[in-house]
Amino acid sequence: WISVAAAAGIFAAARLVLPEIYAFFVALPFAVIGAYVGWQQRRAPSAARVAGTLQRLRAMSWDEFSGAIEDAFRRDGYIVSRTPGAEADFELTKAGRILLVGCKRWKVARTGIGPLRELYAAGRTRDAHECIYVAAGEVTDNARVFAAGKNIRLVHDAELAKLLPRVGRGGKRSA
């Protein structure tokens, strides 16, 4: 909303010294930014929806959760295959890029560096372009710093609720 207010202020100030059409174009970039941010915020899940989705995810079994994750990445155009071993759970392929996904410990209350180190090592072994770690619980600050430095994308909270929008009541995936 600050961008929209800035656009209005710039338009009003520019109108004092410029013709109205030029003042409009001077303020236009701020109005576009404000509209884009407003559209993104409107699409973002609410805090109540995020909390509800995370609660339902934690109630799921591994088979239900892994199926929901597979479906979500397939919807995004990835070829999904399960991987052997505990370091990574899925290998995603799209346009020649390989991504590894780790999510077996999605139910833990706090995720530390340990599972991220394992995922990073698996990514290096398989020459993955990126690693993704999925967590329904809190991610520690140390784990966030580690992930940022090692090209590991963390999918949790609102991003996890956006990834799995079809998770219905009672831990079942809805159609």
Side-chain angles (χ1 to χ4, degrees):
W1 299 115
I2 292 173
S3 294
V4 173
I10 290 171
F11 176 76
R15 239 179 102 198
L16 297 174
V17 293
L18 296 173
E20 192 170 302
I21 190 71
Y22 294 127
F24 170 76
F25 284 111
V26 169
L28 186 61
F30 293 97
V32 169
I33 291 169
Y36 176 74
V37 170
W39 180 67
Q40 290 286 51
Q41 287 177 350
R42 182 176 164 90
R43 290 185 49 207
S46 67
R49 183 174 146 216
V50 169
T53 300
L54 293 178
Q55 182 180 5
R56 287 187 296 274
L57 287 175
R58 288 184 194 110
M60 292 175 124
S61 68
W62 167 248
D63 290 333
E64 292 170 326
F65 182 77
S66 63
I69 292 289
E70 282 185 73
D71 291 346
F73 283 116
R74 280 195 180 105
R75 272 193 322 270
D76 287 345
Y78 290 98
I79 297 170
V80 181
S81 59
R82 294 190 182 230
T83 61
E87 298 84 18
D89 300 303
F90 301 103
E91 181 175 291
L92 310 178
T93 308
K94 183 178 183 181
R97 292 179 49 88
I98 297 172
L99 291 81
L100 290 183
V101 179
C103 56
K104 271 200 180 126
R105 300 179 195 163
W106 91 96
K107 280 188 180 186
V108 298
R110 289 180 57 116
T111 297
I113 293 178
L116 298 178
R117 281 189 181 138
E118 293 173 3
L119 183 60
Y120 176 70
R124 290 191 56 164
T125 301
R126 293 188 178 175
D127 293 327
H129 293 90
E130 184 181 6
C131 294
I132 300 171
Y133 188 81
V134 179
E138 180 186 347
V139 179
T140 65
D141 291 337
N142 288 340
R144 288 177 200 270
V145 170
F146 181 83
K150 301 296 184 183
N151 196 28
I152 299 173
R153 182 167 48 125
L154 298 174
V155 176
H156 60 102
D157 296 336
E159 191 175 355
L160 183 56
K162 283 175 71 175
L163 179 66
L164 302 174
R166 296 180 180 183
V167 174
R169 294 175 194 254
K172 303 287 185 208
R173 288 179 289 148
S174 62

